[in-house]
Amino acid sequence: MPAGFWFWGPFGALSFNVFPASGFPVTIDPSFATPYTKSYTLGVQRQLSNDWVVSADYYHKDIENILGVR
């Protein structure tokens, strides 16, 4: 191997460059949006006696932009 082929990477691991960083240009589609989630929880609880409790919960989750193309 040529001198400088192996080097210590930024995280302390022994590394080597297979492809130079400038070898492949990277572009991102302008319409790409990062996927994210929003969730909501609503709950109600009522004690009927010392041994009885009634509760109702509602969970809602939205996942946005999950179908992205790279």
Side-chain angles (χ1 to χ4, degrees), residues 1-7 15-17:
M1 298 297 146
F5 181 81
W6 297 100
F7 64 93
S15 303
F16 63 95
N17 286 328

Side-chain angles (χ1 to χ4, degrees), residues 9-34:
F11 301 106
L14 189 59
S15 303
F16 63 95
N17 286 328
V18 176
F19 302 107
S22 63
F24 299 102
V26 176
T27 58
I28 297 176
D29 184 5
S31 65
F32 177 77
T34 303

Side-chain angles (χ1 to χ4, degrees), residues 38-59:
K38 291 190 278 185
S39 61
Y40 305 98
T41 304
L42 177 67
V44 177
Q45 188 175 41
R46 175 75 179 181
Q47 181 177 358
L48 300 177
S49 69
N50 287 337
D51 295 332
W52 289 89
V53 174
V54 175
S55 65
D57 295 312
Y58 173 75
Y59 300 97

